[in-house]
PDB file of all heavy atoms in Angstrom:
ATOM      1  N   VAL T   1     -17.223-254.655 103.326  1.00 86.00           N
ATOM      2  CA  VAL T   1     -18.287-255.656 103.324  1.00 86.00           C
ATOM      3  C   VAL T   1     -19.205-255.289 102.159  1.00 86.00           C
ATOM      4  O   VAL T   1     -19.806-254.212 102.144  1.00 86.00           O
ATOM      5  CB  VAL T   1     -19.072-255.662 104.660  1.00 86.00           C
ATOM      6  CG1 VAL T   1     -20.119-256.766 104.645  1.00 86.00           C
ATOM      7  CG2 VAL T   1     -18.128-255.832 105.842  1.00 86.00           C
ATOM      8  N   ILE T   2     -19.268-256.184 101.190  1.00 85.00           N
ATOM      9  CA  ILE T   2     -20.049-255.945  99.984  1.00 85.00           C
ATOM     10  C   ILE T   2     -21.245-256.883  99.996  1.00 85.00           C
ATOM     11  O   ILE T   2     -21.095-258.098 100.169  1.00 85.00           O
ATOM     12  CB  ILE T   2     -19.182-256.155  98.727  1.00 85.00           C
ATOM     13  CG1 ILE T   2     -17.967-255.216  98.778  1.00 85.00           C
ATOM     14  CG2 ILE T   2     -20.008-255.923  97.460  1.00 85.00           C
ATOM     15  CD1 ILE T   2     -16.906-255.501  97.728  1.00 85.00           C
ATOM     16  N   ARG T   3     -22.437-256.313  99.825  1.00 85.00           N
ATOM     17  CA  ARG T   3     -23.670-257.109  99.903  1.00 85.00           C
ATOM     18  C   ARG T   3     -23.677-258.206  98.835  1.00 85.00           C
ATOM     19  O   ARG T   3     -23.322-257.987  97.691  1.00 85.00           O
ATOM     20  CB  ARG T   3     -24.896-256.223  99.742  1.00 85.00           C
ATOM     21  CG  ARG T   3     -26.194-256.999  99.993  1.00 85.00           C
ATOM     22  CD  ARG T   3     -27.421-256.145  99.864  1.00 85.00           C
ATOM     23  NE  ARG T   3     -27.502-255.077 100.849  1.00 85.00           N
ATOM     24  CZ  ARG T   3     -27.916-255.237 102.104  1.00 85.00           C
ATOM     25  NH1 ARG T   3     -28.245-256.415 102.553  1.00 85.00           N
ATOM     26  NH2 ARG T   3     -27.990-254.190 102.908  1.00 85.00           N
ATOM     27  N   GLY T   4     -24.100-259.366  99.269  1.00 68.00           N
ATOM     28  CA  GLY T   4     -24.314-260.481  98.355  1.00 68.00           C
ATOM     29  C   GLY T   4     -25.793-260.825  98.335  1.00 68.00           C
ATOM     30  O   GLY T   4     -26.634-259.991  98.673  1.00 68.00           O
ATOM     31  N   SER T   5     -26.101-262.051  97.997  1.00 61.00           N
ATOM     32  CA  SER T   5     -27.506-262.443  97.873  1.00 61.00           C
ATOM     33  C   SER T   5     -28.049-263.093  99.143  1.00 61.00           C
ATOM     34  O   SER T   5     -29.186-263.563  99.153  1.00 61.00           O
ATOM     35  CB  SER T   5     -27.655-263.408  96.688  1.00 61.00           C
ATOM     36  OG  SER T   5     -26.819-264.531  96.889  1.00 61.00           O
ATOM     37  N   THR T   6     -27.270-263.100 100.218  1.00 62.00           N
ATOM     38  CA  THR T   6     -27.730-263.687 101.478  1.00 62.00           C
ATOM     39  C   THR T   6     -27.681-262.628 102.578  1.00 62.00           C
ATOM     40  O   THR T   6     -27.049-261.581 102.412  1.00 62.00           O
ATOM     41  CB  THR T   6     -26.823-264.874 101.892  1.00 62.00           C
ATOM     42  OG1 THR T   6     -25.528-264.355 102.247  1.00 62.00           O
ATOM     43  CG2 THR T   6     -26.688-265.897 100.767  1.00 62.00           C
ATOM     44  N   PRO T   7     -28.284-262.893 103.732  1.00 65.00           N
ATOM     45  CA  PRO T   7     -28.256-261.918 104.827  1.00 65.00           C
ATOM     46  C   PRO T   7     -26.910-261.841 105.551  1.00 65.00           C
ATOM     47  O   PRO T   7     -26.778-261.086 106.505  1.00 65.00           O
ATOM     48  CB  PRO T   7     -29.363-262.398 105.766  1.00 65.00           C
ATOM     49  CG  PRO T   7     -29.623-263.808 105.418  1.00 65.00           C
ATOM     50  CD  PRO T   7     -29.188-264.005 103.998  1.00 65.00           C
ATOM     51  N   HIS T   8     -25.914-262.586 105.112  1.00 69.00           N
ATOM     52  CA  HIS T   8     -24.592-262.586 105.738  1.00 69.00           C
ATOM     53  C   HIS T   8     -24.041-261.163 105.888  1.00 69.00           C
ATOM     54  O   HIS T   8     -23.450-260.816 106.907  1.00 69.00           O
ATOM     55  CB  HIS T   8     -23.637-263.454 104.917  1.00 69.00           C
ATOM     56  CG  HIS T   8     -22.276-263.596 105.499  1.00 69.00           C
ATOM     57  ND1 HIS T   8     -22.031-264.311 106.652  1.00 69.00           N
ATOM     58  CD2 HIS T   8     -21.082-263.098 105.095  1.00 69.00           C
ATOM     59  CE1 HIS T   8     -20.745-264.255 106.926  1.00 69.00           C
ATOM     60  NE2 HIS T   8     -20.141-263.528 106.005  1.00 69.00           N
ATOM     61  N   PHE T   9     -24.260-260.341 104.871  1.00 66.00           N
ATOM     62  CA  PHE T   9     -23.819-258.940 104.880  1.00 66.00           C
ATOM     63  C   PHE T   9     -24.284-258.229 106.146  1.00 66.00           C
ATOM     64  O   PHE T   9     -23.509-257.536 106.804  1.00 66.00           O
ATOM     65  CB  PHE T   9     -24.381-258.239 103.636  1.00 66.00           C
ATOM     66  CG  PHE T   9     -24.217-256.742 103.617  1.00 66.00           C
ATOM     67  CD1 PHE T   9     -23.116-256.157 103.012  1.00 66.00           C
ATOM     68  CD2 PHE T   9     -25.176-255.909 104.182  1.00 66.00           C
ATOM     69  CE1 PHE T   9     -22.969-254.778 102.971  1.00 66.00           C
ATOM     70  CE2 PHE T   9     -25.039-254.537 104.148  1.00 66.00           C
ATOM     71  CZ  PHE T   9     -23.934-253.976 103.546  1.00 66.00           C
ATOM     72  N   ASP T  10     -25.559-258.371 106.466  1.00 71.00           N
ATOM     73  CA  ASP T  10     -26.130-257.661 107.622  1.00 71.00           C
ATOM     74  C   ASP T  10     -25.487-258.096 108.924  1.00 71.00           C
ATOM     75  O   ASP T  10     -25.226-257.259 109.796  1.00 71.00           O
ATOM     76  CB  ASP T  10     -27.644-257.894 107.677  1.00 71.00           C
ATOM     77  CG  ASP T  10     -28.336-257.347 106.439  1.00 71.00           C
ATOM     78  OD1 ASP T  10     -28.043-256.199 106.051  1.00 71.00           O
ATOM     79  OD2 ASP T  10     -29.167-258.083 105.857  1.00 71.00           O
ATOM     80  N   TYR T  11     -25.229-259.389 109.069  1.00 77.00           N
ATOM     81  CA  TYR T  11     -24.611-259.884 110.295  1.00 77.00           C
ATOM     82  C   TYR T  11     -23.171-259.392 110.436  1.00 77.00           C
ATOM     83  O   TYR T  11     -22.757-258.968 111.513  1.00 77.00           O
ATOM     84  CB  TYR T  11     -24.635-261.414 110.340  1.00 77.00           C
ATOM     85  CG  TYR T  11     -26.037-261.973 110.373  1.00 77.00           C
ATOM     86  CD1 TYR T  11     -26.515-262.742 109.326  1.00 77.00           C
ATOM     87  CD2 TYR T  11     -26.884-261.722 111.448  1.00 77.00           C
ATOM     88  CE1 TYR T  11     -27.800-263.242 109.344  1.00 77.00           C
ATOM     89  CE2 TYR T  11     -28.167-262.218 111.480  1.00 77.00           C
ATOM     90  CZ  TYR T  11     -28.629-262.983 110.423  1.00 77.00           C
ATOM     91  OH  TYR T  11     -29.902-263.469 110.449  1.00 77.00           O
ATOM     92  N   VAL T  12     -22.427-259.437 109.355  1.00 77.00           N
ATOM     93  CA  VAL T  12     -21.032-259.014 109.406  1.00 77.00           C
ATOM     94  C   VAL T  12     -20.934-257.506 109.635  1.00 77.00           C
ATOM     95  O   VAL T  12     -20.205-257.049 110.516  1.00 77.00           O
ATOM     96  CB  VAL T  12     -20.277-259.426 108.121  1.00 77.00           C
ATOM     97  CG1 VAL T  12     -18.873-258.825 108.094  1.00 77.00           C
ATOM     98  CG2 VAL T  12     -20.193-260.943 108.026  1.00 77.00           C
ATOM     99  N   ALA T  13     -21.683-256.729 108.868  1.00 77.00           N
ATOM    100  CA  ALA T  13     -21.622-255.273 108.999  1.00 77.00           C
ATOM    101  C   ALA T  13     -22.087-254.820 110.378  1.00 77.00           C
ATOM    102  O   ALA T  13     -21.417-254.026 111.043  1.00 77.00           O
ATOM    103  CB  ALA T  13     -22.457-254.607 107.902  1.00 77.00           C
ATOM    104  N   GLY T  14     -23.211-255.335 110.828  1.00 78.00           N
ATOM    105  CA  GLY T  14     -23.740-254.951 112.139  1.00 78.00           C
ATOM    106  C   GLY T  14     -22.871-255.419 113.288  1.00 78.00           C
ATOM    107  O   GLY T  14     -22.602-254.667 114.226  1.00 78.00           O
ATOM    108  N   GLY T  15     -22.423-256.669 113.209  1.00 82.00           N
ATOM    109  CA  GLY T  15     -21.580-257.213 114.267  1.00 82.00           C
ATOM    110  C   GLY T  15     -20.262-256.470 114.401  1.00 82.00           C
ATOM    111  O   GLY T  15     -19.805-256.177 115.509  1.00 82.00           O
ATOM    112  N   SER T  16     -19.676-256.125 113.278  1.00 89.00           N
ATOM    113  CA  SER T  16     -18.405-255.389 113.298  1.00 89.00           C
ATOM    114  C   SER T  16     -18.598-254.005 113.895  1.00 89.00           C
ATOM    115  O   SER T  16     -17.820-253.573 114.758  1.00 89.00           O
ATOM    116  CB  SER T  16     -17.844-255.255 111.883  1.00 89.00           C
ATOM    117  OG  SER T  16     -17.546-256.518 111.349  1.00 89.00           O
ATOM    118  N   ALA T  17     -19.619-253.304 113.447  1.00 90.00           N
ATOM    119  CA  ALA T  17     -19.862-251.946 113.945  1.00 90.00           C
ATOM    120  C   ALA T  17     -20.146-251.958 115.446  1.00 90.00           C
ATOM    121  O   ALA T  17     -19.583-251.149 116.197  1.00 90.00           O
ATOM    122  CB  ALA T  17     -21.019-251.310 113.179  1.00 90.00           C
ATOM    123  N   ASN T  18     -20.994-252.858 115.876  1.00 91.00           N
ATOM    124  CA  ASN T  18     -21.315-252.937 117.310  1.00 91.00           C
ATOM    125  C   ASN T  18     -20.088-253.295 118.136  1.00 91.00           C
ATOM    126  O   ASN T  18     -19.851-252.723 119.203  1.00 91.00           O
ATOM    127  CB  ASN T  18     -22.430-253.953 117.556  1.00 91.00           C
ATOM    128  CG  ASN T  18     -23.761-253.473 117.012  1.00 91.00           C
ATOM    129  OD1 ASN T  18     -24.005-252.291 116.866  1.00 91.00           O
ATOM    130  ND2 ASN T  18     -24.629-254.430 116.690  1.00 91.00           N
ATOM    131  N   GLY T  19     -19.310-254.237 117.650  1.00 93.00           N
ATOM    132  CA  GLY T  19     -18.109-254.653 118.372  1.00 93.00           C
ATOM    133  C   GLY T  19     -17.092-253.538 118.503  1.00 93.00           C
ATOM    134  O   GLY T  19     -16.517-253.327 119.570  1.00 93.00           O
ATOM    135  N   LEU T  20     -16.878-252.795 117.422  1.00 96.00           N
ATOM    136  CA  LEU T  20     -15.915-251.689 117.458  1.00 96.00           C
ATOM    137  C   LEU T  20     -16.375-250.589 118.414  1.00 96.00           C
ATOM    138  O   LEU T  20     -15.571-250.034 119.170  1.00 96.00           O
ATOM    139  CB  LEU T  20     -15.695-251.126 116.056  1.00 96.00           C
ATOM    140  CG  LEU T  20     -15.001-252.062 115.076  1.00 96.00           C
ATOM    141  CD1 LEU T  20     -15.024-251.475 113.672  1.00 96.00           C
ATOM    142  CD2 LEU T  20     -13.583-252.386 115.514  1.00 96.00           C
ATOM    143  N   GLY T  21     -17.666-250.308 118.398  1.00 95.00           N
ATOM    144  CA  GLY T  21     -18.197-249.305 119.325  1.00 95.00           C
ATOM    145  C   GLY T  21     -18.014-249.719 120.768  1.00 95.00           C
ATOM    146  O   GLY T  21     -17.670-248.892 121.628  1.00 95.00           O
ATOM    147  N   SER T  22     -18.215-250.992 121.045  1.00 95.00           N
ATOM    148  CA  SER T  22     -18.027-251.497 122.409  1.00 95.00           C
ATOM    149  C   SER T  22     -16.576-251.369 122.858  1.00 95.00           C
ATOM    150  O   SER T  22     -16.308-251.004 123.998  1.00 95.00           O
ATOM    151  CB  SER T  22     -18.461-252.967 122.500  1.00 95.00           C
ATOM    152  OG  SER T  22     -19.852-253.073 122.330  1.00 95.00           O
ATOM    153  N   VAL T  23     -15.651-251.678 121.967  1.00 96.00           N
ATOM    154  CA  VAL T  23     -14.229-251.569 122.313  1.00 96.00           C
ATOM    155  C   VAL T  23     -13.887-250.128 122.679  1.00 96.00           C
ATOM    156  O   VAL T  23     -13.209-249.877 123.681  1.00 96.00           O
ATOM    157  CB  VAL T  23     -13.326-252.064 121.165  1.00 96.00           C
ATOM    158  CG1 VAL T  23     -11.859-251.773 121.451  1.00 96.00           C
ATOM    159  CG2 VAL T  23     -13.535-253.563 120.934  1.00 96.00           C
ATOM    160  N   ALA T  24     -14.370-249.183 121.900  1.00 96.00           N
ATOM    161  CA  ALA T  24     -14.077-247.769 122.174  1.00 96.00           C
ATOM    162  C   ALA T  24     -14.561-247.378 123.564  1.00 96.00           C
ATOM    163  O   ALA T  24     -13.826-246.746 124.329  1.00 96.00           O
ATOM    164  CB  ALA T  24     -14.731-246.883 121.117  1.00 96.00           C
ATOM    165  N   LEU T  25     -15.765-247.761 123.898  1.00 96.00           N
ATOM    166  CA  LEU T  25     -16.324-247.382 125.200  1.00 96.00           C
ATOM    167  C   LEU T  25     -15.695-248.171 126.346  1.00 96.00           C
ATOM    168  O   LEU T  25     -15.422-247.609 127.409  1.00 96.00           O
ATOM    169  CB  LEU T  25     -17.840-247.572 125.187  1.00 96.00           C
ATOM    170  CG  LEU T  25     -18.583-246.650 124.219  1.00 96.00           C
ATOM    171  CD1 LEU T  25     -20.066-246.997 124.191  1.00 96.00           C
ATOM    172  CD2 LEU T  25     -18.374-245.187 124.567  1.00 96.00           C
ATOM    173  N   ASP T  26     -15.444-249.451 126.122  1.00 96.00           N
ATOM    174  CA  ASP T  26     -14.860-250.278 127.184  1.00 96.00           C
ATOM    175  C   ASP T  26     -13.434-249.884 127.527  1.00 96.00           C
ATOM    176  O   ASP T  26     -13.013-249.981 128.673  1.00 96.00           O
ATOM    177  CB  ASP T  26     -14.881-251.759 126.793  1.00 96.00           C
ATOM    178  CG  ASP T  26     -16.287-252.350 126.762  1.00 96.00           C
ATOM    179  OD1 ASP T  26     -17.230-251.703 127.278  1.00 96.00           O
ATOM    180  OD2 ASP T  26     -16.434-253.466 126.218  1.00 96.00           O
ATOM    181  N   TYR T  27     -12.683-249.430 126.523  1.00 97.00           N
ATOM    182  CA  TYR T  27     -11.261-249.129 126.730  1.00 97.00           C
ATOM    183  C   TYR T  27     -10.949-247.633 126.701  1.00 97.00           C
ATOM    184  O   TYR T  27      -9.785-247.252 126.826  1.00 97.00           O
ATOM    185  CB  TYR T  27     -10.404-249.874 125.700  1.00 97.00           C
ATOM    186  CG  TYR T  27     -10.342-251.341 126.007  1.00 97.00           C
ATOM    187  CD1 TYR T  27     -11.309-252.216 125.523  1.00 97.00           C
ATOM    188  CD2 TYR T  27      -9.338-251.855 126.817  1.00 97.00           C
ATOM    189  CE1 TYR T  27     -11.270-253.568 125.833  1.00 97.00           C
ATOM    190  CE2 TYR T  27      -9.284-253.204 127.125  1.00 97.00           C
ATOM    191  CZ  TYR T  27     -10.257-254.047 126.628  1.00 97.00           C
ATOM    192  OH  TYR T  27     -10.217-255.382 126.935  1.00 97.00           O
ATOM    193  N   ASP T  28     -11.950-246.803 126.523  1.00 96.00           N
ATOM    194  CA  ASP T  28     -11.765-245.358 126.544  1.00 96.00           C
ATOM    195  C   ASP T  28     -10.688-244.913 125.544  1.00 96.00           C
ATOM    196  O   ASP T  28      -9.753-244.180 125.870  1.00 96.00           O
ATOM    197  CB  ASP T  28     -11.403-244.886 127.963  1.00 96.00           C
ATOM    198  CG  ASP T  28     -11.525-243.383 128.122  1.00 96.00           C
ATOM    199  OD1 ASP T  28     -12.385-242.783 127.461  1.00 96.00           O
ATOM    200  OD2 ASP T  28     -10.736-242.803 128.897  1.00 96.00           O
ATOM    201  N   ILE T  29     -10.840-245.384 124.313  1.00 97.00           N
ATOM    202  CA  ILE T  29      -9.891-245.072 123.242  1.00 97.00           C
ATOM    203  C   ILE T  29     -10.690-244.891 121.953  1.00 97.00           C
ATOM    204  O   ILE T  29     -11.668-245.609 121.725  1.00 97.00           O
ATOM    205  CB  ILE T  29      -8.834-246.195 123.086  1.00 97.00           C
ATOM    206  CG1 ILE T  29      -7.781-245.840 122.037  1.00 97.00           C
ATOM    207  CG2 ILE T  29      -9.481-247.526 122.772  1.00 97.00           C
ATOM    208  CD1 ILE T  29      -6.628-246.832 121.965  1.00 97.00           C
ATOM    209  N   PRO T  30     -10.301-243.927 121.112  1.00 97.00           N
ATOM    210  CA  PRO T  30     -10.996-243.803 119.836  1.00 97.00           C
ATOM    211  C   PRO T  30     -10.787-245.055 118.977  1.00 97.00           C
ATOM    212  O   PRO T  30      -9.650-245.470 118.741  1.00 97.00           O
ATOM    213  CB  PRO T  30     -10.334-242.588 119.179  1.00 97.00           C
ATOM    214  CG  PRO T  30      -9.666-241.849 120.276  1.00 97.00           C
ATOM    215  CD  PRO T  30      -9.288-242.883 121.297  1.00 97.00           C
ATOM    216  N   VAL T  31     -11.884-245.655 118.571  1.00 98.00           N
ATOM    217  CA  VAL T  31     -11.857-246.779 117.634  1.00 98.00           C
ATOM    218  C   VAL T  31     -12.696-246.325 116.448  1.00 98.00           C
ATOM    219  O   VAL T  31     -13.918-246.197 116.552  1.00 98.00           O
ATOM    220  CB  VAL T  31     -12.421-248.070 118.251  1.00 98.00           C
ATOM    221  CG1 VAL T  31     -12.404-249.195 117.224  1.00 98.00           C
ATOM    222  CG2 VAL T  31     -11.631-248.465 119.500  1.00 98.00           C
ATOM    223  N   ILE T  32     -12.031-246.062 115.345  1.00 97.00           N
ATOM    224  CA  ILE T  32     -12.681-245.467 114.195  1.00 97.00           C
ATOM    225  C   ILE T  32     -13.135-246.566 113.235  1.00 97.00           C
ATOM    226  O   ILE T  32     -12.339-247.388 112.794  1.00 97.00           O
ATOM    227  CB  ILE T  32     -11.723-244.495 113.459  1.00 97.00           C
ATOM    228  CG1 ILE T  32     -11.040-243.534 114.441  1.00 97.00           C
ATOM    229  CG2 ILE T  32     -12.473-243.768 112.350  1.00 97.00           C
ATOM    230  CD1 ILE T  32     -11.947-242.795 115.393  1.00 97.00           C
ATOM    231  N   ASN T  33     -14.427-246.543 112.938  1.00 96.00           N
ATOM    232  CA  ASN T  33     -15.003-247.538 112.041  1.00 96.00           C
ATOM    233  C   ASN T  33     -14.829-247.068 110.605  1.00 96.00           C
ATOM    234  O   ASN T  33     -15.609-246.265 110.103  1.00 96.00           O
ATOM    235  CB  ASN T  33     -16.481-247.763 112.365  1.00 96.00           C
ATOM    236  CG  ASN T  33     -17.094-248.868 111.538  1.00 96.00           C
ATOM    237  OD1 ASN T  33     -16.504-249.337 110.571  1.00 96.00           O
ATOM    238  ND2 ASN T  33     -18.282-249.281 111.913  1.00 96.00           N
ATOM    239  N   GLY T  34     -13.800-247.583 109.952  1.00 95.00           N
ATOM    240  CA  GLY T  34     -13.542-247.282 108.554  1.00 95.00           C
ATOM    241  C   GLY T  34     -13.901-248.452 107.656  1.00 95.00           C
ATOM    242  O   GLY T  34     -13.327-248.619 106.586  1.00 95.00           O
TER     243      GLY T  34
END
């Protein structure tokens, strides 16, 4: 995710990170945010 001139970057980066963290905890499996 490469920052552009709009706030889209923040929504995509934050949403992806939060979603991946939730999957790891919900399914008890390592989900690595790369």
Side-chain angles (χ1 to χ4, degrees):
V1 183
I2 302 169
R3 187 179 296 280
S5 58
T6 68
H8 183 70
F9 170 93
D10 298 313
Y11 297 115
V12 173
S16 297
N18 291 335
L20 293 172
S22 292
V23 172
L25 295 175
D26 291 347
Y27 287 87
D28 194 32
I29 184 173
V31 179
I32 312 309
N33 185 348

